């Protein structure tokens, strides 16, 4: 029986806006990521995916519920997980090596040692020729790989990836998914991956949590029975299509229907 | 780099066009002075100014040395004070609220009114001139650097927080480098004002310096020498501007290559 790496139990988050209005961003949300498991959170924008990630990263604190990493509460604690934001957020004043070693520097690793470690990892991330390049010289995919290496060098047991390929074009995106599959196969990290791309979620994940908005909550958990190792070509397989159909059905009945209802209500006003 | 030639041509145009304008202006001036036969103490021709500049070149060099000394000391002081103030008010929101509006308001006090006070307090030596330069120059540095610290991309700060960075690490690794371009914008403005600050300080009382040279020349109706001093002041200001520009390119190559 594999153990839970991350446990999110009954977590709610309320944001207060101007004029005293409050918004329930997350409503008693629970999920788990097991050791070496790839879990995706998928849902329309505004469903609280990023809020959930912020809570796990310790950037905000929940109004109720608990967040455990390997059994220990990490509520409000930063630096406990590896976090990769939506955009690459590479520092323009650092070259690739100096960008990716930032987490090592924060942990007090000596500069020469940190650089040596990063240089040794560059080939696996397809960046060996770009060690001394500055971010503006890199393509979108390369920037994202550098950002991923930086996340990897945080060296925490759980990786939070917030729509890492959201800003890439479709082809680069496909390429990066294949690349991420390879990397994951090699390092077997526990990953919590946020996306709004159905294909991407199915292709990469062991389990998917589908979230619905206002208030954000988990609608359904779907296991992905596709075999490992995976390949981007698998999107054309029969099993894949069947899973996608099921997921689409959940989206149609659970989310799109609800949205139509609310937009219809709004019209009445 | 296939754009090389275009860039080179662009650079030449940015250099040649203003030079052409300036030359046209000088020629018109020369001709007008010759045609109207205007008196030399009223408006000397550019050729006469150059002749005057050449004849007093040693004297003017001595005065320039003094002015340069005041300028550099004042500018250095302004950098130190500006960086300290901007960093302190970035560190503490309360301090910012307490001090920043006053710093802005202080700029409405004309420097020409404060300078005599400095002479009263600190005499006719080097110090009051250095202080005038610093007073003129610290403001653009402070304001720009404050903006630089404030306008750091919030994504960068979030990422650093998520990675467990403390405030000091965030400041050193993100805020400081991110604010560099703003600091240099401030320093560019400060640099161009600095020589003027020194000259104003010297006007009010000095034994040496371009300011006192100008005052003496104008009192003796040696108008060509006044213009000669203006030329030297302009050259000095430009040199400081170029120095700052070079320093900026040296310290932040990433900022210039990005475009």
């Amino acid at each position: 029986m594999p153990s839970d790496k991350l446990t999110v139990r009954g977590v709610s988050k309320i944001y207060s806006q101007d004029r005293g209005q409050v918004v329930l961003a997350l409503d008693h949300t629970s999920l788990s990521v097991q050791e070496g498991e790839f879990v995706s959170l998928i849902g329309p924008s505004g469903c609280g995916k990023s809020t959930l990630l912020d809570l796990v990263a310790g950037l905000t604190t929940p109004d109720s519920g608990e967040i455990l990493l390997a059994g220990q509460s990490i509520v409000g604690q930063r630096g406990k997980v590896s976090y990769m934001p939506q955009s690459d957020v590479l520092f323009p004043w650092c070259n690739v090596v100096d960008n990716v070693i930032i987490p090592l520097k924060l942990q007090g690793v000596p500069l020469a040692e940190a650089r040596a470690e990063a240089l040794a990892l560059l080939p696996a991330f397809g960046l060996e020729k770009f060690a001394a390049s500055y971010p503006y010289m890199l393509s979108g995919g390369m920037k994202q790989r550098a950002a991923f290496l930086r996340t990897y060098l945080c060296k925490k047991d759980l990786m939070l990836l917030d729509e890492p390929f959201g800003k890439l074009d479709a082809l680069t995106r496909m390429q990066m998914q294949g690349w991420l599959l390879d990397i994951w196969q090699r390092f077997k990290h526990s990953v919590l991956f946020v996306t709004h791309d159905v294909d991407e979620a199915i292709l990469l994940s062991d389990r998917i949590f589908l979230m619905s908005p206002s208030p954000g909550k988990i609608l359904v958990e779907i296991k992905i029975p596709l075999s490992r190792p995976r390949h981007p070509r698998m999107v054309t397989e029969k099993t894949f299509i069947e899973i996608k159909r099921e997921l689409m059905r959940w989206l149609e009945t659970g989310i799109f229907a609800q949205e139509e209802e609310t937009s219809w209500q709004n019209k009445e006003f | 780099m296939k754009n090389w030639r275009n860039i080179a041509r662009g650079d030449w145009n940015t250099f040649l066009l203003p030079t052409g304008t300036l030359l046209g202006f000088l020629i018109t001036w020369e001709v007008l002075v010759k045609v109207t036969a205007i008196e030399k103490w009223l408006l000397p021709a550019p050729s006469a100014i150059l002749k005057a500049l050449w004849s007093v070149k040693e004297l003017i060099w001595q005065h320039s040395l003094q002015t340069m000394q005041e300028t550099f000391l004042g500018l250095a002081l302004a950098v130190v004070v500006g960086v300290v103030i901007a960093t302190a008010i970035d560190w503490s929101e309360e301090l910012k609220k307490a001090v920043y509006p006053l710093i802005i308001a202080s700029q409405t006090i004309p420097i020409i009114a404060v300078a005599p006070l400095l002479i009263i307090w600190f005499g006719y030596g080097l110090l009051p001139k250095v202080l005038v330069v610093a007073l003129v120059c610290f403001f653009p540095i402070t304001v720009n650097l404050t903006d630089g610290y404030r306008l750091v991309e919030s994504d960068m700060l979030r990422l650093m927080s998520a990675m467990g960075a403390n405030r000091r690490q965030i400041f050193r690794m993100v805020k400081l480098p991110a604010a560099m371009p703003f600091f240099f914008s401030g320093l560019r403005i400060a640099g161009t004002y600095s020589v003027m600050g020194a000259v104003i300080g010297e006007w009010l009382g000095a034994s040496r310096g371009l300011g006192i040279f100008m005052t003496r020349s104008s009192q003796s109706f040696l108008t060509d020498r006044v213009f000669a001093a203006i030329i030297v002041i302009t050259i000095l200001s430009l040199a400081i501007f170029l120095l700052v520009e070079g320093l900026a390119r040296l310290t932040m190559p990433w900022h210039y290559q990005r475009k």
Side-chain angles (χ1 to χ4, degrees), chain B residues 8 47 82 85 93:
Chain B
S47 58
I85 292 178
E93 192 61 36

Side-chain angles (χ1 to χ4, degrees), chain A residues 50 54 57 59 78-81 83-85 87-94 101-103 105-108 134 136-137 150 154 162 167, chain B residues 152-166 169-170 172-179 252-259:
Chain A
S50 293
D54 284 359
L59 290 168
R78 295 166 179 185
K80 296 282 175 189
V81 297
Y83 170 75
M84 180 169 171
S87 51
D88 55 77
V89 199
L90 294 170
F91 299 159
W93 52 85
C94 291
I101 62 168
I102 285 165
K105 276 166 85 180
L106 290 176
Q107 287 156 26
Y134 283 83
Y136 72 92
M137 303 164 157
R150 183 183 56 201
C154 292
D162 189 359
K167 287 180 179 162
Chain B
V152 176
E153 280 176 44
S154 59
D155 279 351
M156 293 184 178
L157 302 178
R158 271 171 60 88
L159 175 73
M160 290 296 278
S161 284
M163 290 194 295
N166 61 35
Q169 288 171 321
I170 291 179
R172 190 166 43 83
M173 293 167 74
V174 179
K175 283 198 155 190
L176 205 56
M252 353 175 261
W254 49 272
H255 182 67
Y256 289 92
Q257 285 158 350
R258 201 155 41 151
K259 279 145 207 167

